[in-house]
Amino acid sequence: MDFGTIFSSALASALGPTAIVYALAAIGLNVHFGYTGLLNFGQAGFMAVGGFGLAVCVVTYDLPFIVGILVALIAAVVLAIILGVPTLRLRADYLAIATIATAEILRLIVGAVETKDVFGGSNGLSGFASTFNGLNPYDRGIDIGIISYRRSDLWTLTVGWTLVILACLLVWLLMRSPWGRVLRSIREDEDAVRSLGKNVFAYKMQALVLGGVFGGMGGIVLALSQNNIKGSDFSTNVTFYAYTALLIGGAARVLGPVIGAMIFWFLMTGIGSFFSQATRGSDPLIPSDIMTDTQASLVRLILVGLGLMLLMIYRPQGIFGDRKELAIDAR
């Protein structure tokens, strides 16, 4: 058993592009759920329009890279408005149903044969990151012994973590402004806020748009880190993983989604690597009668799920959260 390899792979995953993608998605969910009380179960949909907005502009329509970035962010805004207009005046569970259904519809549309000319079908689109990679200032990758990254990953990490820092700074500033205090008040009792003359619908829409844009940014980073994007990248479990990261770190905490995403991918990769090594070889640590190497990849999901259940029982506010913040009256 090589615990050094297990630790280094887990640490590389906790700091890598995947953690960045889920940190951005969870920051968006934090604005929706943590601060406003909006139940968005379709963050994968916002990520999909962000990623495909960029890829379709560059690959399908041969537009400049910067136009693709702008279209990706605008697409997330448009999706938030389309979702919010018919649902934000209703109870939060209607928004939850609408968002999860919309995310699934988007995933099926971009992967359909009928739209293959635009979205690339099941193979998706690729070859749209050449401009981004051309801006890479690094000559080589980095290797500090414990972890190492290729040159392209190092550039993605630089841009991605910069986006995460800027997103956290923006959320920190907004949530300490009068606008943020209105959002928190809406989360606690929107009728009381409405009685004070505030336009609750407008504030909810603004929060939905802001969190959706963060989700779109996560989709853009995912697309650029892979230089490929396809509909299966945005399945329902993407949203649930982002929620898991948010709940681990703590809702309504600026750094909660970021720390949660890092812990989540550290555990997922570390546990997966441990059981993978424990079930391989001629004399495995865990006999094949108990667990095979094929089953080992699924055990990490079971253990992380059990860990999340225990966290919700004994510390429902998350590791860095405040119990009062989780007492959300989500309607």
Side-chain angles (χ1 to χ4, degrees):
M1 183 69 67
D2 186 353
F3 286 100
T5 301
I6 294 172
F7 178 77
S8 62
S9 62
L11 185 61
S13 182
L15 301 175
T18 305
I20 295 172
V21 170
Y22 281 88
L24 287 169
I27 289 172
L29 289 177
N30 199 26
V31 175
H32 291 162
F33 176 72
Y35 289 110
T36 317
L38 299 176
L39 289 176
N40 170 23
F41 283 127
Q43 190 70 338
F46 288 102
M47 297 169 68
V49 297
F52 273 99
L54 168 63
V56 168
C57 286
V58 176
V59 177
T60 307
Y61 296 108
D62 198 24
L63 295 173
F65 178 79
I66 187 63
V67 174
I69 295 292
L70 294 175
V71 168
L73 298 177
I74 292 172
V77 174
V78 172
L79 178 60
I81 293 173
I82 293 174
L83 283 172
V85 167
T87 59
L88 287 180
R89 287 190 174 88
L90 305 174
R91 297 185 317 185
D93 45 1
Y94 289 98
L95 177 63
I97 295 170
T99 50
I100 196 171
T102 301
E104 278 300 286
I105 291 170
L106 288 172
R107 183 180 67 83
L108 294 174
I109 289 175
V110 298
V113 176
E114 291 79 3
T115 59
K116 185 177 181 179
D117 292 340
V118 177
F119 300 109
S122 59
N123 293 325
L125 297 173
S126 59
F128 48 82
S130 57
T131 302
F132 175 75
N133 292 328
L135 298 173
N136 191 340
Y138 300 109
D139 296 328
R140 62 179 67 88
I142 185 173
D143 186 353
I144 57 174
I146 300 176
I147 55 175
S148 62
Y149 293 107
R150 298 174 300 173
R151 176 173 174 265
S152 58
D153 288 336
L154 190 59
W155 175 228
T156 303
L157 294 182
T158 303
V159 175
W161 283 116
T162 301
L163 288 175
V164 170
I165 292 171
L166 292 176
C168 288
L169 180 61
L170 179 62
V171 171
W172 183 79
L173 291 172
L174 287 175
M175 294 310 158
R176 279 154 182 77
S177 70
W179 184 81
R181 287 192 285 274
V182 173
L183 288 191
R184 290 169 182 257
S185 302
I186 290 173
R187 181 194 64 196
E188 298 300 330
D189 190 342
E190 67 178 68
D191 290 332
V193 177
R194 193 175 288 110
S195 69
L196 295 174
K198 300 293 184 182
N199 189 334
V200 171
F201 174 81
Y203 279 96
K204 283 185 172 180
M205 180 62 76
Q206 292 160 18
L208 188 63
V209 169
L210 179 62
V213 169
F214 288 140
M217 290 168 59
I220 293 172
V221 174
L222 176 64
L224 292 176
S225 66
Q226 301 177 158
N227 196 18
N228 174 270
I229 191 168
K230 51 187 179 298
S232 58
D233 293 331
F234 305 102
S235 56
T236 307
N237 60 357
V238 171
T239 299
F240 293 137
Y241 283 179
Y243 260 112
T244 303
L246 174 63
L247 295 176
I248 289 175
R253 284 288 182 267
V254 174
L255 294 179
V258 181
I259 304 298
M262 296 173 68
I263 294 174
F264 177 72
W265 284 107
F266 182 90
L267 294 175
M268 286 284 282
T269 304
I271 295 172
S273 181
F274 172 81
F275 282 104
S276 177
Q277 289 193 26
T279 54
R280 283 187 305 183
S282 56
D283 185 21
L285 180 65
I286 301 177
S288 58
D289 294 338
I290 299 176
M291 183 190 304
T292 65
D293 55 351
T294 304
Q295 295 169 328
S297 61
L298 301 176
V299 171
R300 62 175 186 166
L301 297 174
I302 297 173
L303 293 180
V304 172
L306 287 174
L308 183 63
M309 291 171 61
L310 293 173
L311 184 70
M312 290 297 98
I313 293 171
Y314 294 105
R315 193 171 174 81
Q317 68 271 32
I319 295 176
F320 300 103
D322 185 338
R323 182 180 290 270
K324 294 179 181 177
E325 292 285 358
L326 205 66
I328 294 173
D329 182 11
R331 287 172 291 180

